[in-house]
């Protein structure tokens, strides 16, 4: 959700991101990852933007990623194969603070080969820069600010001054989603006008995704409850350890357990089934 929101911002406000990452507001258009590969390519948290001279490749990450250096080198070669004449800027943007060594890696290196890329840790960036561009406003809350609550209020003031309703709603919704990484929902809703956020495309997509996830969670919990009741009838009380293992099963695994438990006669049957079927 957070990575998708950042991708939406980079696509919608590409000139603001170009000014920030390239140093000038170069007009950029989205480049489909499918143009770069003969095989499937990971595309859920990245954005590729192209101009006549440049390709800007941005990866948004909420968590450290040990595979990032390899992936950046891989993309660079794919882009060179397709656009050998274009310059390329590659940036990994980490959204949330981390002490992991991975967020400091800026190169992929194997014997005879070295590829470098840029890393931006948002929590180290000065806040003022992000308050000066509409497309960067939602990221301001994640920067090096001594008072996140006050920064959100400043962002809200600037959002209210945006003249275009559609842009205003998209920026407000994106801000609300990203602010959720660090602030409480009630405070976010108090500072940002919910009626404006609800008009945004990104808000509607997020709401639909949230509801779908909630529905899946409800189904999973219902299946867990049913399985545990059936197990209690078949083999007696289920130990806390066994309950924990059952709660870690996927929906497909729970359905398989629901069929298998009809043949259970004692607790060891459950223990043996979990050993055989549970994946770590």
């Amino acid at each position: 959700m957070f990575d998708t929101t950042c991708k939406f911002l980079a696509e919608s406000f590409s000139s603001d991101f170009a000014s920030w990452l390239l140093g000038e507001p170069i007009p950029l258009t989205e480049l489909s990852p499918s143009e770069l590969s003969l095989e499937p390519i990971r595309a859920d948290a990245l954005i590729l933007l192209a101009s006549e001279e440049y390709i800007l490749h941005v990866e948004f990450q909420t968590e450290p990623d040990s595979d990032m250096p390899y992936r950046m080198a891989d993309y660079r070669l794919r882009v060179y194969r397709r656009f050998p004449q274009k310059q390329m800027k590659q940036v990994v943007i980490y959204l949330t603070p981390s002490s992991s060594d991975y967020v400091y890696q800026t190169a992929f290196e194997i014997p005879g080969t070295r590829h470098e890329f840029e890393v931006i840790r948002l929590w180290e960036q000065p806040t003022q820069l992000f308050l000066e561009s509409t497309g960067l406003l939602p990221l301001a809350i994640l920067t090096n600010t001594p008072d996140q609550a006050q920064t959100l209020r400043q962002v809200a003031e600037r959002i209210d001054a945006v003249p275009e309703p559609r842009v205003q709603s998209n920026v407000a919704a994106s801000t609300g989603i990203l602010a959720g990484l660090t602030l409480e929902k009630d405070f976010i809703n108090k500072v940002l006008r919910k009626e404006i956020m609800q008009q945004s495309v990104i808000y509607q997509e997020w709401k639909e995704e949230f509801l779908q996830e909630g529905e899946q969670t409800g189904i999973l919990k219902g299946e867990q409850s049913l399985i545990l009741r059936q197990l209690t009838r078949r083999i007696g009380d289920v130990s806390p350890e066994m309950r924990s293992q059952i709660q870690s099963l996927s929906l497909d695994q729970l359905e398989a357990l629901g069929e298998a438990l009809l043949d259970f006669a004692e607790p060891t049957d459950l223990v043996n089934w979990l050993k055989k079927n549970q994946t770590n």
Side-chain angles (χ1 to χ4, degrees):
M1 175 176 63
F2 303 112
D3 296 340
T4 302
T5 300
C6 289
K7 183 179 178 182
F8 171 80
L9 288 170
E11 292 171 348
S12 302
F13 302 95
S14 60
S15 62
D16 288 345
F17 276 78
S19 295
W20 173 33
L21 300 174
L22 296 176
E24 52 184 316
I26 300 172
L28 297 169
T29 57
E30 186 179 2
L31 174 67
S32 171
S34 64
E35 294 187 43
L36 309 178
S37 178
L38 299 176
E39 60 189 50
I41 195 167
R42 180 182 180 275
D44 59 335
L46 70 89
I47 180 71
L48 294 164
L49 299 170
S51 69
E52 291 185 3
E53 297 181 1
Y54 286 93
I55 289 181
L56 175 60
H57 168 203
V58 184
E59 289 264 4
F60 299 100
Q61 292 288 129
T62 52
E63 299 291 337
D65 188 342
S66 61
D67 292 331
M68 186 61 70
Y70 168 78
R71 193 157 72 241
M72 299 302 276
D74 185 40
Y75 275 116
R76 183 64 187 100
L77 292 174
R78 292 171 190 257
V79 169
Y80 180 79
R81 185 185 302 122
R82 178 69 175 82
F83 303 104
Q85 77 286 1
K86 292 191 177 187
Q87 301 181 57
M88 186 173 185
K89 172 95 169 195
Q90 293 181 283
V91 186
V92 183
I93 301 175
Y94 287 101
L95 304 179
T96 53
S98 172
S99 59
S100 169
D101 290 340
Y102 294 137
V103 303
Y104 293 91
Q105 289 185 338
T106 59
F108 171 76
E109 191 167 10
I110 56 176
T113 301
R114 178 180 173 85
H115 174 67
E116 297 181 353
F117 54 92
E118 185 176 340
V119 167
I120 293 177
R121 295 172 290 276
L122 272 183
W123 60 94
E124 297 177 353
Q125 299 299 302
T127 303
Q128 187 59 38
L129 169 67
F130 295 83
L131 295 175
E132 295 172 354
S133 297
T134 302
L136 302 182
L137 283 173
L139 299 176
I141 189 65
L142 304 178
T143 60
N144 184 19
T145 170
D147 189 338
Q148 292 177 330
Q150 179 58 27
T151 296
L152 183 62
R153 294 187 186 97
Q154 290 177 292
V155 170
E157 290 177 1
R158 285 162 172 77
I159 291 174
D160 286 343
V162 173
E164 300 176 37
R166 183 179 62 84
V167 173
Q168 186 184 63
S169 63
N170 285 338
V171 174
S174 298
T175 300
I177 292 171
L178 293 178
L181 285 166
T182 60
L183 295 172
E184 294 294 329
K185 180 180 177 181
D186 289 344
F187 178 75
I188 295 170
N189 288 335
K190 179 186 291 187
V191 176
L192 298 172
R193 288 192 286 163
K194 191 172 182 180
E195 67 273 14
I196 294 179
M197 290 192 289
Q198 290 176 334
Q199 298 171 24
S200 168
V201 173
I202 190 70
Y203 180 90
Q204 295 301 327
E205 290 180 356
W206 169 79
K207 183 178 179 181
E208 181 177 346
E209 179 181 341
F210 179 80
L211 290 174
Q212 289 174 349
E213 290 179 357
E215 181 179 350
Q216 287 297 317
T217 300
I219 293 173
L220 191 64
K221 288 187 177 296
E223 189 72 15
Q224 290 170 357
S225 178
L226 176 62
I227 293 295
L228 288 169
R229 288 200 303 272
Q230 292 176 328
L231 283 169
T232 300
R233 294 192 187 103
R234 300 290 301 183
I235 62 175
D237 290 340
V238 179
S239 70
E241 181 182 356
M242 292 296 102
R243 282 177 175 271
S244 178
Q245 292 186 49
I246 291 169
Q247 289 169 347
S248 71
L249 297 176
S250 68
L251 187 58
D252 288 341
Q253 290 173 317
L254 286 171
E255 290 176 351
L257 176 56
E259 295 180 4
L261 67 81
L262 298 176
D263 297 321
F264 290 179
E266 54 188 34
T268 54
D269 292 329
L270 174 60
V271 172
N272 293 334
W273 188 95
L274 287 171
K275 285 182 178 179
K276 182 178 179 180
N277 292 276
Q278 189 175 38
T279 56
N280 295 322

